[in-house]
Amino acid sequence: MEGKREEIRKGPWKAEEDEVVINHVKKYGPRDWSSIRSKGLLQRTGKSCRLRWVNKLRPNLKSGCKFTSEEERVVIELQAQFGNKWAKIATYLHGRTDNDVKNFWSSRQKRLARILQNSSATSSNTESHKIINREVSGFTNVVPSSEGLKKSPSSLSNIDNYDEMVKMVPLPDLVDTNLLHFETNQSHLGDFNQPQQDMTAFSSAGSQQLLASFEDPYWFDVFGAIDGDVAVEQPFLKPTTSCGDGSVNPDAFFDDFPTDMFDQI
DNA sequence: AAGGACTTCAACCGCACATAC
DNA sequence: CGTATGTGCGGTTGAAGTCCT
């Protein structure tokens, strides 16, 4: 099935290679990745091309944007429910890929490990240490926010301030976990009850047929809506027009609550 | 200012599952 | 029905960037 047995290229992608992949998707859709190589268009494997498309070239990706507190909260909750099903979790976050979620989670885990390591090496009686212990014992899959610890990850001094620490807590009580039983209890979720890839909105026979052809949820982002009747469901998190500076305050979610309400967590 | 520590992110690998033949 | 091939996913790694001392 393979075409030429040329050497497979690896490593960083060039703009020309990206262009080839984009053109391929325009012509054939996000599939038949292996044909890119078999046709001699690129010396990349089909897997590599697909990955490049999914993680970098696909439209409406929030590449380069830090996770907001809201996204962070969703990831924490969904990870607790689904485990390390990054692709599944990513479907609830507009513009995020499984790789994004995976990397985000992984770096938070490392950070927590570091904090715990440092906290055990320092005084066991500090307020921050108590908070961390409570956090870890009661919510083992949860790690602190990147925002709270970013500045000095190797030291606990920056979390001595309780308010700061509060921002790092996942606040399980703030989220009704019943809402996260998507399979059995989706009606409670209102606008947020469907992942991005949920295609139940395409109810007409014509739309179903189209869907069979265009399985990729981002097809419409690239080539526009096919049918005026087609109404794509809102993702779990509504897309933001921009990211990072200005529009989204990472801590805004927590600002809506009195700080003392977290004392019981 | 320089060097080390740490974080982030892109990309690869291997496995599992789906589909075609 | 078995095998080959394609695709999707999770884990891991290493380079580059950022922060800290």
Side-chain angles (χ1 to χ4, degrees):
Chain A
M1 63 149 230
E2 286 184 44
K4 309 166 193 174
R5 265 287 167 195
E6 292 170 17
E7 194 172 336
I8 295 172
R9 191 178 134 67
K10 295 181 181 179
W13 281 69
K14 294 176 184 173
E16 308 93 81
E17 293 178 304
D18 286 344
E19 206 167 327
V20 170
V21 172
I22 290 169
N23 286 334
H24 172 86
V25 173
K26 279 181 183 170
K27 278 185 187 171
Y28 309 106
R31 54 183 61 78
D32 294 332
W33 299 110
S34 301
S35 68
I36 294 178
R37 179 157 176 257
S38 60
K39 287 173 184 171
L41 299 175
L42 284 180
Q43 270 123 36
R44 299 272 188 177
T45 64
K47 284 176 71 168
S48 183
C49 294
R50 175 189 159 272
L51 205 65
R52 182 65 180 171
W53 170 258
V54 168
N55 288 335
K56 290 300 293 180
L57 303 178
R58 212 171 59 177
N60 293 344
L61 290 178
K62 289 186 192 172
S63 46
C65 298
K66 292 216 174 283
F67 274 59
T68 65
S69 293
E70 183 69 9
E71 289 175 313
E72 187 177 339
R73 183 178 61 82
V74 170
V75 170
I76 289 166
E77 291 294 340
L78 294 180
Q79 201 279 342
Q81 184 181 4
F82 299 135
N84 296 356
K85 300 295 180 186
W86 309 122
K88 188 170 187 175
I89 293 171
T91 62
Y92 290 85
L93 298 165
H94 186 91
R96 299 296 187 187
T97 69
D98 57 345
N99 216 27
D100 291 335
V101 178
K102 191 165 54 179
N103 283 333
F104 171 69
W105 188 259
S106 163
S107 54
R108 296 190 81 210
Q109 293 289 64
K110 283 180 191 169
R111 204 177 303 125
L112 175 63
R114 173 168 300 283
I115 291 168
L116 290 176
Q117 201 172 12
N118 288 343
S119 68
S120 64
T122 58
S123 163
S124 61
N125 252 348
T126 64
E127 181 65 19
S128 57
H129 185 75
K130 281 188 283 185
I131 293 168
I132 287 173
N133 281 343
R134 184 170 55 205
E135 172 73 9
V136 172
S137 61
F139 212 64
T140 53
N141 276 332
V142 170
V143 292
S145 148
S146 59
E147 305 302 327
L149 293 171
K150 199 169 159 189
K151 291 181 177 151
S152 183
S154 60
S155 163
L156 279 173
S157 61
N158 60 321
I159 56 174
D160 285 341
N161 180 319
Y162 183 70
D163 285 342
E164 186 67 20
M165 189 62 203
V166 159
K167 292 177 183 176
M168 298 159 51
V169 175
L171 312 178
D173 292 342
L174 292 181
V175 180
D176 182 354
T177 52
N178 289 330
L179 301 187
L180 291 166
H181 296 164
F182 298 109
E183 276 82 11
T184 58
N185 201 18
Q186 295 196 359
S187 61
H188 289 116
L189 284 169
D191 285 342
F192 297 143
N193 68 343
Q194 299 291 341
Q196 290 177 75
Q197 290 176 327
D198 189 323
M199 297 301 186
T200 53
F202 299 85
S203 52
S204 71
S207 297
Q208 296 285 3
Q209 264 191 322
L210 285 171
L211 273 177
S213 308
F214 308 121
E215 289 175 313
D216 188 274
Y218 297 93
W219 178 265
F220 305 108
D221 293 335
V222 190
F223 307 107
I226 300 169
D227 184 342
D229 296 337
V230 172
V232 182
E233 287 279 342
Q234 287 292 328
F236 186 78
L237 281 181
K238 293 176 181 174
T240 54
T241 52
S242 60
C243 63
D245 301 336
S247 62
V248 178
N249 174 4
D251 294 329
F253 173 73
F254 302 97
D255 293 341
D256 292 333
F257 305 97
T259 52
D260 61 351
M261 73 177 287
F262 306 117
D263 288 345
Q264 302 309 315
I265 297 172

